[in-house]
Amino acid sequence: SSELTQDPAVSVALGQTVRITCQGDSLRNYYASWYQQKPGQAPILVIYSKNNRPSGIPDRFSGSSSENTASLTITGAQAEDEADYYCNSRDRSGNHHWVFGGGTKLTVL
Amino acid sequence: QVQLQESGPGLVKPSQTLTLTCTVSGGSISSRNYYWSWIRQPAGKGLEWIGRIYTTGSTNYNPSLRSRVTISEDTSKNQFSLRLSSVTAADTAVYYCARLTYYYESFDYWGQGILVTVSS
């Protein structure tokens, strides 16, 4: 099992807001990054350093963090947001090792 | 625009060594602002970080794979490589190379991935 825990699946109605969470001890000390992966494609970075968006990522994507939990929020989910989402951070040792959450399958209804 | 491209054999026999190369364009692997990493994903499963190399040549590996993994770099070709020894069917996966930012520690650029199947 992963050091970062995500719900396997989440659904949201089109246009509504959804929060995807990631829990882990390392998140008390390190920020999470979030990645979107669509079938057959490489992951793309959507949030880094808790709540920063790379160029080209829509502003409906946002991040937050509290204690051992990081969250990715999509405000006004669109059909094209249907994908797998992964969080990542350093592992709990604090060494230069990185881990990913198990991923959350987001379905937009 | 930074681009990463994985290359190598798509089929490796059990017990042999898997070797992949990542060619980077649009940026230098000698930059002190980035680490260069390998990540893999078995079919239908999640992402697993394998290891990373820094411009100084220093490496770090996933503890679960450390005994079998070597990551190296060729700065003259702007490439870095992965060697995974004694492979089994459990090593069958899509392998990605990715750039890891030094400051924010996020994987900001990824290759398209290469499927490696371990089978006799």
Side-chain angles (χ1 to χ4, degrees):
Chain A
S1 62
S2 175
E3 291 187 17
L4 298 178
T5 302
Q6 297 182 241
D7 291 330
V10 171
S11 62
V12 61
L14 184 67
Q16 295 304 300
T17 297
V18 62
R19 176 176 292 181
I20 298 170
T21 61
C22 173
Q23 289 188 306
D25 287 342
S26 64
L27 299 180
R28 296 182 184 275
N29 299 307
Y30 300 100
Y31 288 136
S33 299
W34 290 92
Y35 306 84
Q36 177 193 72
Q37 186 180 35
K38 296 182 179 179
Q41 298 182 16
I44 63 169
L45 178 67
V46 295
I47 292 288
Y48 64 96
S49 189
K50 189 169 82 170
N51 190 23
N52 290 276
R53 283 176 290 106
S55 173
I57 300 302
D59 61 5
R60 63 179 179 270
F61 289 88
S62 64
S64 62
S65 182
S66 178
E67 297 188 348
N68 72 331
T69 301
S71 300
L72 172 70
T73 299
I74 306 174
T75 303
Q78 302 299 301
E80 61 263 32
D81 299 334
E82 185 163 293
D84 293 327
Y85 290 86
Y86 294 90
C87 61
N88 109 279
S89 184
R90 282 213 198 179
D91 74 0
R92 67 168 67 98
S93 74
N95 294 327
H96 282 210
H97 299 152
W98 286 266
V99 291
F100 289 90
T104 297
K105 169 63 178 176
L106 175 66
T107 300
V108 179
L109 304 172
Chain B
Q1 178 78 346
V2 176
Q3 293 185 317
L4 295 86
Q5 178 69 57
E6 304 88 352
S7 59
L11 181 65
V12 181
K13 289 182 168 52
S15 80
Q16 293 191 342
T17 297
L18 177 162
T19 302
L20 297 174
T21 296
C22 182
T23 301
V24 179
S25 58
S28 171
I29 66 169
S30 297
S31 170
R32 293 186 176 274
N33 294 322
Y34 306 106
Y35 304 107
W36 303 91
S37 279
W38 288 96
I39 295 157
R40 70 180 183 179
Q41 185 174 36
K45 297 187 177 181
L47 301 165
E48 180 181 34
W49 176 75
I50 298 171
R52 66 86 173 160
I53 189 165
Y54 188 50
T55 182
T56 57
S58 70
T59 53
N60 285 89
Y61 302 125
N62 187 320
S64 69
L65 298 170
R66 181 183 293 126
S67 63
R68 299 193 291 130
V69 174
T70 303
I71 296 176
S72 59
E73 62 180 1
D74 185 338
T75 55
S76 67
K77 296 181 180 179
N78 217 35
Q79 295 174 334
F80 61 105
S81 297
L82 168 70
R83 286 173 54 88
L84 180 65
S85 64
S86 305
V87 297
T88 69
D91 296 307
T92 295
V94 174
Y95 286 75
Y96 296 101
C97 56
R99 189 177 82 170
L100 174 64
T101 63
Y102 181 89
Y103 188 69
Y104 294 115
E105 298 192 3
S106 57
F107 297 95
D108 63 346
Y109 284 95
W110 297 63
Q112 66 186 24
I114 183 169
L115 173 62
V116 179
T117 301
V118 179
S119 175
S120 55

